[in-house]
Amino acid sequence: KVPFKALQYTTGECNYGGRVTDDHDRTCLNSILQLIYHEEILKDACTLSPSGTYKVPRGSGGLEGYWDAIGKLPFAAAPEVFGMHENADITKDMQ
């Protein structure tokens, strides 16, 4: 069994904890980590975005398999990567 709570704590508090000093930022960081560190992440159908574009690459083919998965990602990241609505792109372009 994978110790997801321990991994989340290690990443959020031990690794980034000293760099994230604002309480709201720490809450945001831990919320994002909860999206990654959970049981479903181990399943093949698990995606990291609503569209399914962003998902955990599976290691089929070794290192080359990971490079292939990374190469298939869009060049420009969509707002959904950051948990934002697609209208965030419109707002960004207006500035």
Side-chain angles (χ1 to χ4, degrees), residues 2 4 36 38-46 56 58:
V2 178
F4 289 108
I36 298 170
H38 58 84
E39 290 288 332
E40 295 295 314
I41 203 81
L42 300 175
K43 296 181 180 175
D44 287 336
C46 183
V56 178
R58 301 299 172 201

Side-chain angles (χ1 to χ4, degrees), residues 71-88:
K72 292 177 185 174
L73 292 173
F75 181 72
E80 70 176 341
V81 172
F82 308 104
M84 295 184 213
H85 190 270
E86 60 190 33
N87 287 348

Side-chain angles (χ1 to χ4, degrees), residues 31-70:
S31 296
I32 292 169
L33 291 175
Q34 285 178 353
L35 297 173
I36 298 170
Y37 291 124
H38 58 84
E39 290 288 332
E40 295 295 314
I41 203 81
L42 300 175
K43 296 181 180 175
D44 287 336
C46 183
T47 61
L48 300 172
S49 66
S51 70
T53 302
Y54 302 93
K55 52 190 164 196
V56 178
R58 301 299 172 201
S60 59
L63 183 60
E64 285 300 317
Y66 288 110
W67 281 115
D68 289 341
I70 292 168

